[in-house]
Amino acid sequence: MSATPILSPGTQNVPLDSPFLSSSATPSLLGRASNWISEHKVIVCTVGAVAIVFTGAGIVYYLSETGKPGDDTRSAEEKRKSKKDRRKAKKQAEEAKKAGVSEQPEATRVESEQELPQVDEAVVAQLTSEQKNEYAARLKKAGNDEYGSKNYKKAIELYSKAILCKPDPIFYSNRAACHNALGDWEQTIEDTTAAISLDSGYLKALNRRANAYEHVGRYSEALLDTTAGCILTDFSNSKSAENVERLLKIVAEEKAKAILASKEKTLPSATFVANYLQSFRPKPRPVGLEDIAELEQESGRGQLQLGLAVLSTKTGESYEKASRAFDKAIEVGDLGNLEAFAYNMRGTFRYLRGENEDALSDLSKSIELDPSMTQSYVKRASMHMEQGNREAASNDFEQAMTHNADDPDIYYHRAQLHFIVGEFADAAKDYHKSIDLDSGFIFSHIQLGVTQYKMGSTASAMATFRKCIKNFDKVPDVYNYYGEILLDQQKFEDAIAKFDMAIEMEKQTKPAGMNVLPLINKALALFQWKNDFQEAEKLCKKALIIDPECDIAVATMAQLLLQQSKVTEALEYFERAAQLSRTEGEIINALSYAEATRTQLEVQERYPKLAEKLKNLSGVNPNAIR
């Protein structure tokens, strides 16, 4: 996304304010917001260009459509004007705008400095209320004139005198515009803050302060002000919407760097590790590493044997033990013809821990030692793709095929990469090739069915899954993914039945290390179908007892809590999801939700009127799903 350019000091006249831009004259948000809600059939629960919006699929970011509020803000007198008078008024307003002033009194001449009121605190203290208002208006008019002539320091002096007479939010905001033009960001913040304290719904002051905050690197504060501005305009200003999204990204990126710098390199959830490992077809252990082979456990080969043996348990503890064993195997050495395999396995677990550079180095060493080990090419290709280097990924697949063009894993994983970038026809072709070479690998069939569904071939996808159930009736993953397809079609009862079957099979076949995804999918189905938040939360908590590090379960809990207005608890879960994420992109995504949620809390605390507007958008619980 392109960043919205920020004006440099003195590069452009910033329009000044008029009473028509103060919130006291701004039409109500509620009527327009209510229409928007009914048209889109969703509930906006936090703000911004990214308003967080809840749909049947959970949280999404909604970017508002371009447009201006349609309410007529003209006074009754203006409405009675003839067309000719209105055209004349419009022309005068345009001329004033070109001069850089958004309000121009109808005075026919400019007062000289000698004619202007000479005021200080002592003088003002002796004035009547009417005199204060008169003096303030004259001084503000003179300030506007100086601003239009880019005499910003003189304008500041005049606005300051006007403020002595009458602490008006417009005067503070106009003085802030002068500081903004001079690049004095701290003074801009001070004056806009004064304006907002007098009128918390002052849109132009909020926008000016957001701009100043961004200049001094206070991005969270800039995000809050821009978000508040989006509420005031009913999310109708596309530029503000883009600014919120951009600022969310900046804040999330800054915090992601801090997390990555201090984050301990650990394995992700057992669910994630298991799903990654089983994406490769199971193969017999290398000769000499079978269970019956008698090896000294502290030797390099013995450590390889130990690592492979504990993988079958599929728990977080067993994966950590395997990772340590593969590290020690290379450290001890004396691996002989198993050295390439050892680097492959250590590289795999380094990749899973997020040690990408070390993982790439290990996989490259594995290829150097044994160029025929196609799995090392495939794993390295996946890493290149994750880093955005598609050319390198394609080269690795090509090299793998030169060594063994009949390895079905090559085509399966290349299909996965096609799928990720939306090249569904190419993905389907590679899944078919993988199946032709080895029809016994269930995940090629499952992914083919999902791909057919994404291509719009629902009948073909359903037929593929029915065939999967016939041929792989004891594999829980078949029922889980079939349930996801049914859930997407809102066939809730059928979907839940499939998830229940997957859950039961997981319990029977993998009691110590069951895949928790069917539990999470059932939770989503229940809240989408019946708004049964209590049962959905119960299932997510059960998933987290089984696999405490499962980021999907954590993120789902956050969404469920947010939709019940449990914003503080939801924020804690979003932040935890960020800590559990593996890559910088995943961390940024999780933090974007966290920051949007935090912004909602800040809006509620700092701007009670805006918080009340958010609650009134739906007329019910602001985070509920209908």
Side-chain angles (χ1 to χ4, degrees):
M1 175 197 327
S2 59
T4 303
I6 300 171
L7 297 178
S8 300
T11 58
Q12 182 177 333
N13 243 10
V14 181
L16 298 182
D17 300 351
S18 75
F20 303 108
L21 297 177
S22 179
S23 68
S24 59
T26 301
S28 171
L29 165 72
L30 298 181
R32 298 193 304 276
S34 298
N35 291 337
W36 186 89
I37 292 297
S38 62
E39 289 169 5
H40 290 79
K41 292 185 172 61
V42 290
I43 302 298
V44 180
C45 94
T46 189
V47 295
V50 248
I52 284 187
V53 170
F54 293 106
T55 67
I59 295 182
V60 296
Y61 281 129
Y62 171 80
L63 294 181
S64 304
E65 295 177 359
T66 305
K68 296 181 179 179
D71 300 52
D72 192 345
T73 59
R74 294 173 298 156
S75 67
E77 180 182 353
E78 286 177 308
K79 292 177 182 178
R80 289 194 296 270
K81 285 185 179 181
S82 67
K83 290 183 178 179
K84 181 177 180 181
D85 290 338
R86 288 200 297 272
R87 284 197 296 269
K88 181 178 179 182
K90 182 179 179 181
K91 183 177 180 181
Q92 290 174 341
E94 289 174 349
E95 289 174 352
K97 186 176 181 180
K98 289 178 182 178
V101 181
S102 57
E103 182 210 13
Q104 288 284 7
E106 296 182 358
T108 57
R109 70 183 185 87
V110 177
E111 288 186 278
S112 68
E113 186 170 351
Q114 291 74 22
E115 294 174 303
L116 287 171
Q118 301 300 311
V119 297
D120 55 27
E121 291 184 4
V123 171
V124 171
Q126 303 301 317
L127 298 177
T128 66
S129 178
E130 291 78 9
Q131 287 175 320
K132 290 177 183 178
N133 288 338
E134 178 196 345
Y135 283 15
R138 290 167 61 189
L139 289 163
K140 183 249 189 182
K141 168 61 173 60
N144 287 359
D145 294 334
E146 295 295 347
Y147 181 91
S149 300
K150 299 187 178 182
N151 296 324
Y152 301 122
K153 292 184 178 180
K154 184 62 178 177
I156 288 171
E157 179 185 331
L158 292 164
Y159 289 134
S160 298
K161 291 181 178 180
I163 289 168
L164 273 178
C165 297
K166 180 183 178 182
D168 189 289
I170 293 173
F171 302 167
Y172 280 109
S173 186
N174 280 2
R175 190 169 71 178
C178 298
H179 291 306
N180 182 88
L182 294 169
D184 189 342
W185 310 118
E186 293 298 340
Q187 283 299 317
T188 302
I189 291 168
E190 184 177 323
D191 275 348
T192 49
T193 299
I196 293 164
S197 68
L198 294 168
D199 181 357
S200 62
Y202 196 168
L203 178 61
K204 186 163 282 190
L206 284 165
N207 288 339
R208 281 195 182 123
R209 189 170 69 175
N211 176 63
Y213 275 144
E214 188 168 355
H215 270 92
V216 297
R218 294 167 65 177
Y219 299 111
S220 293
E221 290 96 330
L223 173 61
L224 176 63
D225 281 350
T226 308
T227 290
C230 277
I231 297 176
L232 288 169
T233 57
D234 195 14
F235 312 112
S236 65
N237 187 311
S238 61
K239 182 178 179 181
S240 294
E242 290 169 3
N243 279 341
V244 169
E245 187 179 2
R246 178 177 56 80
L247 288 166
L248 261 179
K249 187 170 184 288
I250 291 172
V251 173
E253 285 176 345
E254 279 199 332
K255 293 194 174 184
K257 289 176 182 175
I259 288 176
L260 285 170
S262 60
K263 184 179 175 67
E264 183 182 354
K265 300 296 185 182
T266 58
L267 290 175
S269 71
T271 299
F272 186 101
V273 176
N275 286 336
Y276 178 78
L277 294 178
Q278 71 183 12
S279 71
F280 293 90
R281 285 165 170 80
K283 295 180 179 179
R285 291 193 197 175
V287 175
L289 295 180
E290 302 89 347
D291 283 332
I292 60 172
E294 295 183 4
L295 297 171
E296 175 62 40
Q297 188 170 349
E298 295 303 311
S299 68
R301 289 171 175 259
Q303 287 296 304
L304 279 181
Q305 185 188 54
L306 173 63
L308 293 172
V310 297
L311 286 179
S312 59
T313 310
K314 297 185 177 181
T315 64
E317 184 180 354
S318 67
Y319 289 135
E320 288 289 354
K321 189 173 182 179
S323 179
R324 291 192 297 270
F326 296 136
D327 286 344
K328 190 171 181 179
I330 292 178
E331 180 184 332
V332 173
D334 194 23
L335 297 165
N337 63 347
L338 295 174
E339 189 175 6
F341 176 76
Y343 275 102
N344 176 294
M345 295 308 297
R346 188 176 76 169
T348 299
F349 276 83
R350 281 182 162 181
Y351 163 68
L352 290 167
R353 283 198 298 266
E355 299 171 353
N356 293 336
E357 293 304 318
D358 290 337
L360 280 173
S361 177
D362 276 353
L363 292 171
S364 296
K365 180 67 173 178
S366 175
I367 291 167
E368 177 188 328
L369 293 166
D370 184 359
S372 67
M373 188 173 287
T374 55
Q375 192 183 93
S376 295
Y377 290 104
V378 172
K379 289 177 178 178
R380 193 172 69 175
S382 297
M383 288 195 62
H384 284 312
M385 195 66 182
E386 189 174 284
Q387 294 176 342
N389 191 344
R390 182 166 184 174
E391 183 178 355
S394 298
N395 288 338
D396 274 338
F397 284 122
E398 292 297 328
Q399 289 186 61
M401 284 187 282
T402 63
H403 292 284
N404 185 1
D406 293 330
D407 183 344
D409 276 347
I410 297 173
Y411 301 97
Y412 175 77
H413 283 273
R414 190 170 69 175
Q416 294 285 77
L417 300 188
H418 283 307
F419 184 93
I420 289 169
V421 297
E423 297 169 353
F424 299 123
D426 289 333
K429 182 179 177 181
D430 274 345
Y431 287 132
H432 274 298
K433 179 68 173 178
S434 179
I435 292 168
D436 290 342
L437 291 168
D438 175 16
S439 61
F441 186 62
I442 179 58
F443 295 104
S444 292
H445 297 275
I446 290 174
Q447 286 299 126
L448 174 61
V450 174
T451 302
Q452 289 168 331
Y453 187 75
K454 295 289 286 185
M455 294 171 70
S457 302
T458 303
S460 297
M462 301 299 276
T464 296
F465 274 101
R466 285 192 293 270
K467 186 177 178 181
C468 283
I469 288 176
K470 180 180 178 181
N471 296 330
F472 303 94
D473 62 323
K474 303 300 182 185
V475 180
D477 301 273
V478 174
Y479 299 93
N480 180 54
Y481 286 102
Y482 191 18
E484 288 187 9
I485 297 283
L486 293 167
L487 179 58
D488 191 69
Q489 299 175 67
Q490 298 187 350
K491 297 179 179 179
F492 298 112
E493 288 184 89
D494 291 341
I496 289 173
K498 295 295 183 290
F499 295 142
D500 280 337
M501 293 180 73
I503 292 167
E504 192 57 37
M505 288 182 184
E506 288 284 352
K507 289 179 182 177
Q508 292 174 4
T509 59
K510 295 176 285 185
M514 70 174 287
N515 186 340
V516 299
L517 294 182
L519 289 168
I520 300 167
N521 280 330
K522 183 179 178 181
L524 291 170
L526 285 171
F527 99 74
Q528 287 181 31
W529 183 24
K530 297 180 177 181
N531 286 347
D532 191 345
F533 290 103
Q534 184 175 358
E535 185 62 25
E537 278 192 44
K538 183 178 176 182
L539 288 165
C540 284
K541 288 177 180 177
K542 185 175 182 179
L544 287 170
I545 291 171
I546 297 168
D547 187 356
E549 305 300 304
C550 182
D551 57 335
I552 299 174
V554 172
T556 303
M557 271 294 294
Q559 293 185 23
L560 292 171
L561 291 166
L562 194 58
Q563 293 187 51
Q564 298 173 78
S565 294
K566 299 175 182 178
V567 182
T568 303
E569 293 175 67
L571 177 58
E572 292 175 0
Y573 273 92
F574 279 130
E575 290 178 333
R576 184 178 168 194
Q579 292 290 340
L580 292 173
S581 297
R582 285 178 55 255
T583 67
E584 183 176 5
E586 291 169 355
I587 294 172
I588 289 171
N589 184 57
L591 286 174
S592 294
Y593 286 107
E595 292 308 312
T597 306
R598 193 191 315 281
T599 299
Q600 180 182 351
L601 286 171
E602 288 285 330
V603 167
Q604 291 173 349
E605 292 172 3
R606 295 196 191 184
Y607 306 111
K609 290 182 180 179
L610 293 185
E612 192 61 34
K613 286 182 179 181
L614 284 176
K615 291 180 182 178
N616 291 335
L617 285 176
S618 64
V620 293
N621 182 328
N623 297 305
I625 295 294
R626 291 181 176 177

